[in-house]
Amino acid sequence: MDTFYLIVVICLVVLAVADLVVGVSNDAVNFLNSAFGSRVAKRKTILYVAATGILIGAASSSGMMEIARKGIFNPEMFSFADIMTIFLAVMITDILLLDLFNTFGMPTSTTVSIMFELLGAAFVVAVIKIISNGDSMLLIGEYLNTNNAILIIAGIFLSVFIAFSLGLIAQFFTRLIFSFNLNKTVRKNGPIFGGIAIATIAYFLLIKGMKGSTFISIETKEWINNYTVILMGTIVLSSIFICLVLTHFFKVNVLKLVVLFGTFSLAMAFAGNDLVNFIGVPLAGLQSFQIFQASNLAASELNMGVLGAQIQTNSLILFAAGVIMILSLWFSKKAQTVTETEINLSRQNEGSERFKPNFIARWIVSGGIRFSTFSKKFISDEVANKIDARFKKSASINKNVKEKPAFDLVRASVNLMMASVLIAFATSLKLPLSTTYVSFMVAMGTSLADRAWDRDSAVYRVAGVVNVIGGWLVTAAVASTVAGVLALVIYFGGVFAVVSLMMLTVALILRSQFVHRKKEREKSAVYKKLENRERISYDDVIAESRERISLTMFKISYVIKDLIVGLEVEDKVKISKAKNEVELYRKNYEELSASFYYYLQKIESKHGAEGRYYIHALSYLNNISGSVLVMGEKVDSHVSNFHLPMQTVKMNELKDLANRLSHLFIEISDLILERKGGLTEVLQEESEVLLTHIENLELVHLSRVKNNESSAKNSMLYLSILLECRDMIVDFSGLINLFQSIRENEPPMEPIDKVKMNKSKTSLK
């Protein structure tokens, strides 16, 4: 049995490293979003500041397993075998759950996750013990401490509302003080605001960041607690004085200091306190194994009440954990994705919206508009005009979403200051609080107060917030359920279950990495390159359009063939894959359309006429995707409803048409990509011939209908496919004419990313 539990301990150590990686990917948003969103400094500088905070926080962490110490379950009621089952189930669940959220760029709470995983796994093991002992289920309360769980849940809901409300109020009054004209107001108001903000964040650092630090003596901690008011007063006055000197004598923007200091302090507090969420359980498992080896008792007989005591961790382990967290912070692509979600929802500018509106978002926005209209009745026009003047944005703010920060330093400072205040206050009262929830909701409140959510974007931003909060609510239920199921499997499955679950975990994480990389590659390389370019030339517009259109046409040529083959063999899987390909294309088109306004502003032209080619090309592609989508829906409906299969003669006609269409579309794709000017007239002739062929097929089929040679369902599907194919040919002909009309204006140049295009086409084949 020692060998089995040694394997379990090894698994826990491996899972601890993996959990550190996925945990940082999720929680990086807590301390990076304000710095990244405001672009307070270069990315590397921000990461250096955050990394320093993480390393100091990790090295000074007490290493106490907070969740176990608070008593999510009562360890004295469980044996060593039970505890190891619970710990392993918790760690596997935690990694899979956090990695899933990271893959889709959704921030969640590591504290809530680990708490409910412990609760779920402990509950299942407790039930097994009660049943095996023949006891009453009423004894479940002796195994679990549900009071903490209820307290944390209440704290979650309360903190979400309070964080959003206080963030909104604080940002509203701060913006009244600074307005958006920071060039004039920062020098005047910045030193006092900066001094108060720095002092506030320092208070957070003292209360939250260092409360469990080992390098601070007990006497020092007591002195800080006894003289907090005097200490904070001194810090406030000193901070204001320093900010005044820096502003007036060294021309330093003190708001940058606030944001960087806030980033450091939040990163330090994260590593110092939330580190236990990732390594607390594995370290407790390691200590339990050491106690088991020294006890000479059977695993099922050794009582683990000792886990109720505080668990101190070797400083070397804490330092190593800090290094792993820093490496994850620097190199994790998923950390960037999660951070981008919050920045996208709180950005000041318009642009492509990630989330689709839902009925809840529409209802909230509708209520907000009615409340705004009603509240204006109680505010005089003079006061309203003065407030509007303070919130008026300069033209440069909205000039280009790609070059400007998502929000300014004022909002970034308020984000950090309010998050620090709330977290420190809750910590001083020993109330459970999720740093993720607080940081996110403060950012949403400040963005609403800053009027970042206008009539054009509000429903999308609110939908995003609803989706994130919905994910939080699901987290607890999913974490508890999955951990419970895994505990059941491990309890009865033994070594085989442990090995199988570890292999499954590795496979799922690798798959999520593949899914994430695939999502990141959805944008074309040219479009990504143009996103960060200050100005776009006429040649850039044509090159990007050529590449995107050529690859899209190539994809559609194979989608049509897959739909027809799927119809013939009645293969729903093949049809669904083809439909998903079209849906992905439609999503990309919507993103392009949403960002076209800013894309057009970058084109080097006084009148922007060159953008006409780009928007016309997008229009053609939208029509084409619509035709393929309609075709896919009708084919899917026909097969799903078990209608009669298509007659052989009609099926052969459709397959021949699909092949001819595919050949034509591939030729057009090569024409647009490689500029084969001599083929333009030939392809136009082929298109005309194919249109005539479709018309003949329609006439032939109508005669079949009159002679009662085809069922109604088959006839409607057959004619629908012909009509959609005809529409696609017309749109593709329009694309040919479009590029023919601009050919004379194009300078000689090599095809864009031809190697990448060929690889994409090969993968499709």
Side-chain angles (χ1 to χ4, degrees):
M1 285 298 289
D2 284 9
T3 303
F4 169 71
Y5 290 111
L6 178 62
I7 294 174
V8 173
V9 170
I10 293 172
C11 290
L12 285 174
V13 173
V14 173
L15 291 171
V17 175
D19 207 28
L20 281 170
V21 174
V22 297
V24 171
S25 298
N26 177 83
D27 282 4
V29 67
N30 297 341
F31 51 86
L32 289 181
N33 72 309
S34 294
F36 282 165
S38 62
R39 296 195 178 184
V40 66
K42 293 182 179 179
R43 180 179 180 84
K44 286 186 178 180
T45 302
I46 295 171
L47 290 178
Y48 279 130
V49 171
T52 304
I54 286 176
L55 195 60
I56 295 175
S60 62
S61 172
S62 67
M64 293 183 290
M65 194 178 73
E66 294 183 5
I67 300 300
R69 180 163 52 85
K70 290 178 180 178
I72 296 304
F73 61 87
N74 299 317
E76 66 273 11
M77 300 298 295
F78 297 91
S79 67
F80 170 71
D82 302 329
I83 288 292
M84 296 303 281
T85 297
I86 293 171
F87 286 165
L88 188 57
V90 165
M91 290 306 298
I92 293 176
T93 305
D94 199 54
I95 288 175
L96 294 178
L97 186 63
L98 291 180
D99 189 64
L100 178 65
F101 273 85
N102 294 343
T103 299
F104 292 98
M106 304 287 278
T108 190
S109 171
T110 53
T111 303
V112 173
S113 298
I114 202 80
M115 186 275 295
F116 276 97
E117 286 153 5
L118 283 166
L119 187 62
F123 175 80
V124 169
V125 173
V127 170
I128 294 173
K129 290 177 67 66
I130 289 173
I131 293 175
S132 61
N133 294 336
D135 297 330
S136 169
M137 289 301 298
L138 296 176
L139 295 177
I140 194 71
E142 297 182 8
Y143 289 83
L144 305 176
N145 189 342
T146 55
N147 291 334
N148 276 351
I150 295 173
L151 186 62
I152 290 177
I153 293 173
I156 290 171
F157 285 102
L158 191 60
S159 67
V160 166
F161 174 76
I162 292 176
F164 182 84
S165 301
L166 293 185
L168 188 153
I169 295 170
Q171 181 61 32
F172 176 79
F173 288 104
T174 304
R175 185 60 69 188
L176 286 179
I177 296 172
F178 283 96
S179 77
F180 280 97
N181 190 3
L182 301 186
N183 293 330
K184 295 182 179 180
T185 56
V186 167
R187 184 175 176 83
K188 178 182 177 182
N189 303 319
I192 296 178
F193 175 82
I196 295 174
I198 289 174
T200 301
I201 296 171
Y203 174 74
F204 159 78
L205 197 61
L206 289 172
I207 300 300
K208 174 71 173 175
M210 297 183 180
K211 74 182 182 73
S213 299
T214 54
F215 70 87
I216 297 180
S217 65
I218 297 177
E219 292 77 13
T220 303
K221 293 177 184 178
E222 290 180 354
W223 186 89
I224 291 174
N225 290 331
N226 294 333
Y227 297 96
T228 300
V229 176
I230 297 175
L231 181 62
M232 289 308 303
T234 304
I235 293 176
V236 169
L237 294 176
S238 301
S239 299
I240 293 175
F241 175 75
I242 293 172
C243 288
L244 282 169
V245 173
L246 291 175
T247 300
H248 293 286
F249 293 98
F250 296 96
K251 311 301 180 185
V252 174
N253 187 340
V254 295
L255 295 182
K256 290 186 176 182
L257 295 180
V258 173
V259 174
L260 290 176
F261 180 56
T263 300
F264 167 82
S265 63
L266 280 174
M268 180 176 171
F270 156 72
N273 294 278
D274 290 355
L275 180 62
V276 295
N277 294 339
F278 314 127
I279 66 172
V281 169
L283 289 178
L286 177 61
Q287 187 191 47
S288 299
F289 181 72
Q290 293 170 344
I291 295 171
F292 168 66
Q293 283 188 313
S295 69
N296 293 322
L297 295 174
S300 59
E301 297 177 0
L302 176 61
N303 184 276
M304 295 307 298
V306 68
L307 289 183
Q310 295 182 353
I311 302 173
Q312 296 293 329
T313 307
N314 187 291
S315 297
L316 260 173
I317 295 177
L318 295 174
F319 180 80
V323 172
I324 294 172
M325 294 165 78
I326 290 172
L327 293 174
S328 302
L329 185 69
W330 273 86
F331 299 108
S332 173
K333 296 294 183 182
K334 291 185 177 181
Q336 297 179 29
T337 303
V338 178
T339 303
E340 287 169 2
T341 296
E342 183 167 325
I343 293 175
N344 181 275
L345 289 174
S346 59
R347 70 184 189 276
Q348 195 69 45
N349 307 281
E350 298 178 67
S352 177
E353 301 292 347
R354 175 180 172 184
F355 296 93
K356 293 183 178 180
N358 51 54
F359 76 94
I360 298 178
R362 294 189 182 100
W363 178 78
I364 293 174
V365 172
S366 174
I369 293 173
R370 288 195 296 269
F371 176 78
S372 176
T373 303
F374 175 76
S375 62
K376 287 180 180 179
K377 298 178 181 179
F378 302 94
I379 302 176
S380 67
D381 292 340
E382 182 181 358
V383 173
N385 291 335
K386 287 183 178 180
I387 293 175
D388 290 340
R390 303 300 288 177
F391 281 84
K392 186 177 181 181
K393 307 172 185 65
S394 62
S396 61
I397 291 177
N398 290 323
K399 182 179 178 182
N400 201 304
V401 70
K402 300 304 178 185
E403 276 99 55
K404 297 296 177 182
F407 42 81
D408 61 16
L409 293 170
V410 171
R411 177 131 63 97
S413 300
V414 175
N415 283 344
L416 292 166
M417 184 170 61
M418 294 310 300
S420 300
V421 168
L422 288 171
I423 295 170
F425 180 71
T427 302
S428 66
L429 296 179
K430 303 186 182 300
L431 294 175
L433 200 66
S434 166
T435 54
T436 301
Y437 294 174
V438 169
S439 299
F440 181 85
M441 293 310 298
V442 165
M444 295 303 101
T446 58
S447 63
L448 178 59
D450 240 3
R451 303 186 180 181
W453 302 358
D454 59 16
R455 289 288 291 268
D456 284 339
S457 63
V459 69
Y460 303 98
R461 307 286 178 88
V462 174
V465 176
V466 169
N467 284 340
V468 172
I469 294 177
W472 296 347
L473 298 177
V474 171
T475 298
V478 172
S480 181
T481 302
V482 174
V485 171
L486 294 186
L488 186 67
V489 172
I490 294 170
Y491 192 93
F492 291 106
V495 178
F496 176 77
V498 171
V499 174
S500 300
L501 286 174
M502 288 297 294
M503 292 175 63
L504 178 63
T505 301
V506 172
L508 290 175
I509 291 177
L510 290 176
R511 183 180 182 277
S512 76
Q513 293 291 332
F514 172 78
V515 170
H516 187 263
R517 284 197 298 268
K518 183 179 179 182
K519 289 174 63 179
E520 290 298 304
R521 290 197 301 264
E522 286 180 4
K523 291 182 180 179
S524 69
V526 173
Y527 185 67
K528 283 184 176 180
K529 181 176 66 178
L530 296 183
E531 280 185 332
N532 297 319
R533 189 174 295 180
E534 185 175 353
R535 302 302 296 167
I536 300 176
S537 67
Y538 171 80
D539 295 335
D540 292 329
V541 176
I542 302 304
E544 197 277 333
S545 302
R546 283 167 46 216
E547 179 181 348
R548 181 172 294 278
I549 293 169
S550 178
L551 183 57
T552 298
M553 294 173 69
F554 195 88
K555 286 182 178 181
I556 288 178
S557 68
Y558 282 92
V559 168
I560 294 172
K561 292 177 70 173
D562 286 345
L563 286 175
I564 299 302
V565 172
L567 174 63
E568 181 183 25
V569 299
E570 299 185 85
D571 186 349
K572 279 189 61 63
V573 175
K574 198 175 193 67
I575 295 171
S576 295
K577 287 182 178 179
K579 287 175 59 184
N580 290 338
E581 193 71 36
V582 182
E583 289 288 356
L584 178 60
Y585 163 75
R586 294 282 289 185
K587 180 181 178 182
N588 288 340
Y589 168 80
E590 290 174 0
E591 292 176 354
L592 279 172
S593 299
S595 61
F596 176 74
Y597 173 77
Y598 304 97
Y599 187 87
L600 181 62
Q601 287 184 329
K602 291 185 177 185
I603 298 175
E604 293 176 338
S605 171
K606 292 183 179 180
H607 48 75
E610 291 84 353
R612 180 170 58 89
Y613 300 125
Y614 188 77
I615 194 62
H616 283 189
L618 285 179
S619 178
Y620 282 126
L621 293 178
N622 182 46
N623 295 339
I624 292 164
S625 69
S627 296
V628 180
L629 198 59
V630 170
M631 183 189 302
E633 292 291 344
K634 290 184 178 297
V635 169
D636 183 56
S637 175
H638 188 89
V639 174
S640 299
N641 293 325
F642 306 103
H643 294 316
L644 289 173
M646 194 71 68
Q647 293 173 322
T648 303
V649 61
K650 289 186 290 186
M651 200 68 249
N652 291 335
E653 290 170 354
L654 291 178
K655 288 193 295 183
D656 175 67
L657 176 60
N659 289 331
R660 295 173 68 171
L661 277 172
S662 179
H663 176 73
L664 175 63
F665 294 168
I666 292 173
E667 284 189 322
I668 298 175
S669 172
D670 292 337
L671 162 69
I672 292 175
L673 180 65
E674 301 180 10
R675 300 184 177 182
K676 295 179 179 179
L679 290 178
T680 304
E681 293 78 11
V682 175
L683 292 177
Q684 287 288 20
E685 291 179 3
E686 288 186 16
S687 298
E688 292 296 333
V689 170
L690 198 50
L691 283 173
T692 303
H693 176 64
I694 291 175
E695 290 176 0
N696 292 333
L697 290 177
E698 291 173 351
L699 292 173
V700 170
H701 186 67
L702 289 174
S703 65
R704 292 178 186 145
V705 173
K706 285 189 175 183
N707 296 328
N708 201 24
E709 297 176 7
S710 178
S711 68
K713 298 295 183 184
N714 275 353
S715 294
M716 293 304 299
L717 177 62
Y718 182 84
L719 289 173
S720 294
I721 292 175
L722 294 182
L723 292 173
E724 299 304 333
C725 289
R726 184 189 64 185
D727 290 344
M728 279 188 283
I729 294 172
V730 172
D731 286 312
F732 277 129
S733 297
L735 282 172
I736 297 174
N737 292 333
L738 176 66
F739 277 86
Q740 178 64 21
S741 67
I742 63 176
R743 189 174 303 282
E744 295 179 359
N745 296 324
E746 294 185 60
M749 57 188 289
E750 291 298 318
I752 301 297
D753 290 333
K754 189 172 179 180
V755 174
K756 182 182 76 65
M757 291 290 295
N758 290 336
K759 287 182 179 179
S760 298
K761 293 179 178 181
T762 302
S763 66
L764 283 169
K765 292 179 181 179

